[in-house]
Amino acid sequence: MEFSDSPKVQAVRALARAFVAEELLPLEPALRREGFAALLPRLRRVRERARETGLWAAYVPEAHGGAGLSLVEFAHLSEELGKTPVGHWAFNCQAPDVGNVEILIRYGTAEQKERWLGPLVRGEIRSCFTMTEPEHAGSNPVWLSTTARREGEAWVLNGHKWFATGADGAAFAVCMATTAPDEPDRYRRASMFIVPTGTPGFELIGNLSVMGERGADWASHGEVSYQGARIPLDHLLGGEGMGFAIAQERLGPGRIHHCMRWIGICERAFELMCRHAATRELAPGKPLGARQMVQQWIAESRAEIHAARLMVLHAAWKIETQGVYEAREEISLIKFTVARTLQRVLDRALQTLGGLGMTDDTPLAFWWAHERGARIYDGPDEVHLDAVARRILRAHGMTGR
């Protein structure tokens, strides 16, 4: 594995860093004050300028309309875009669309790609992903109550989902539903479906209030109901019983995207912490940064961010060279390591800035509220810790559960 950044990666990072500084950081005060939906007209104009950079939908192969960056290359870009809450959205690299694009490329039919993939990559529509159910533990992805029953030339979906990011305004949902409840292999019981949000029986109940904010449009998490939603048979994504496999395939690269975005947040928080520590005086001639406790926070944060970045880049390299299955341990390791690093760095930055950190004069309070979920979604820390430990112990001869 090569540790130096290629000239291409250096150029990508420099371009993205300049764009974020010039186009997106000036919009942040209005974003925190007015919310995402109110800022959309200005953000759309910025998005058109982002389209001209050559990094539009950068993770998508050129054959499908993207910039064609490799996973490792996109990881570097993701860090730069993660330094602002709307960086990924501006370049059409935002979740959950990025994951839905990836599975459409791999599993979609020609007709599905024409109708849904093309418009997604061009930024003409958005999508959402409905898997988690309020009635069941999200940490057990094979326990679902949502069903898809075949009736003649249609699938009929019934169920209840929540935490569907960006469901507000999405053109379609990718839904994971049980199609073979009696299948002995529990990992073959569910399938994936494309459900246009205008389908009778599909209802966005509303946006969930998360950490005191409901959000709107893409910057929201929806509660969705399927009540007899009838879709054509050709809206099945992949084959019957492939739901779990597709979900796992989607999560591998997705965790790289999230983790590098979190590292971008860490770097921005670290910069704010260091600048404040160096310039804030506790008394004339006595900077905050002279306190050993603050120096310890800075040193620990620098070490943890650097270590986390290397872990993620190694996981991305292993996915590229050996595949998601072979990299499953690395994927689990980065998920809980980077999420915890993010929480610690944000906490130290908030503590360093004191009352200022609690206000909306910086993005720290926004990220503290919106990124606490990093340790829960896409598998809580505890699930990944357990999975890693079990694999290690089995290699040392442990049997049984």
Side-chain angles (χ1 to χ4, degrees), residues 35 96 153 187 200 284:
E153 296 302 308
Y187 298 107

Side-chain angles (χ1 to χ4, degrees), residues 135-153:
E135 294 81 10
H136 300 299
S139 57
N140 185 359
V142 297
W143 190 17
L144 300 173
S145 291
T146 301
T147 61
R149 187 180 68 259
R150 185 168 178 166
E151 289 187 4
E153 296 302 308

Side-chain angles (χ1 to χ4, degrees), residues 178-390:
T178 298
T179 47
D182 299 323
E183 164 64 45
D185 183 355
R186 59 179 180 164
Y187 298 107
R188 296 280 303 173
R189 292 173 186 167
S191 305
M192 289 284 189
F193 298 91
I194 298 172
V195 185
T197 54
T199 301
F202 176 95
E203 179 188 1
L204 174 61
I205 297 171
N207 293 333
L208 300 166
S209 180
V210 179
M211 293 291 195
E213 182 180 355
R214 291 194 182 276
D217 200 78
W218 166 70
S220 65
H221 305 285
E223 182 178 3
V224 170
S225 174
Y226 294 94
Q227 296 297 325
R230 184 179 293 268
I231 56 174
L233 293 180
D234 62 8
H235 282 37
L236 174 70
L237 182 60
E240 286 188 53
M242 291 182 61
F244 183 80
I246 294 174
Q248 290 300 107
E249 190 74 24
R250 185 181 186 275
L251 285 173
R255 287 179 181 136
I256 300 295
H257 306 162
H258 275 309
C259 286
M260 289 305 283
R261 179 176 66 82
W262 296 339
I263 289 171
I265 295 172
C266 286
E267 286 289 2
R268 180 88 181 279
F270 183 74
E271 179 187 352
L272 290 167
M273 175 170 59
C274 293
R275 185 187 307 153
H276 190 79
T279 59
R280 180 71 163 180
E281 291 188 332
L282 299 174
K286 295 185 181 296
L288 176 62
R291 291 291 186 264
Q292 286 186 336
M293 180 65 75
V294 176
Q295 293 172 359
Q296 179 179 332
W297 293 341
I298 290 171
E300 289 177 341
S301 296
R302 180 70 279 159
E304 291 171 11
I305 296 169
H306 185 57
R309 178 187 293 108
L310 291 175
M311 285 182 69
V312 180
L313 291 174
H314 175 256
W317 169 82
K318 192 163 184 178
I319 291 173
E320 277 193 344
T321 57
Q322 300 179 38
V324 172
Y325 183 80
E326 291 299 324
R328 63 194 185 282
E329 184 165 313
E330 285 77 8
I331 292 168
S332 286
L333 285 170
I334 63 171
K335 175 57 173 65
F336 68 78
T337 299
V338 185
R340 290 177 167 196
T341 298
L342 171 64
Q343 187 175 356
R344 286 193 298 267
V345 172
L346 283 175
D347 183 62
R348 292 174 190 140
L350 276 166
Q351 199 70 12
T352 301
L353 269 67
L356 174 62
M358 298 296 292
T359 72
D360 286 333
D361 289 351
T362 81
L364 293 176
F366 174 92
W367 277 323
W368 182 256
H370 287 266
E371 301 299 339
R372 177 56 181 85
R375 293 184 55 203
I376 299 172
Y377 59 73
D378 285 0
D381 287 3
E382 294 75 15
V383 168
H384 291 287
L385 286 159
D386 180 75
V388 169
R390 284 180 181 274

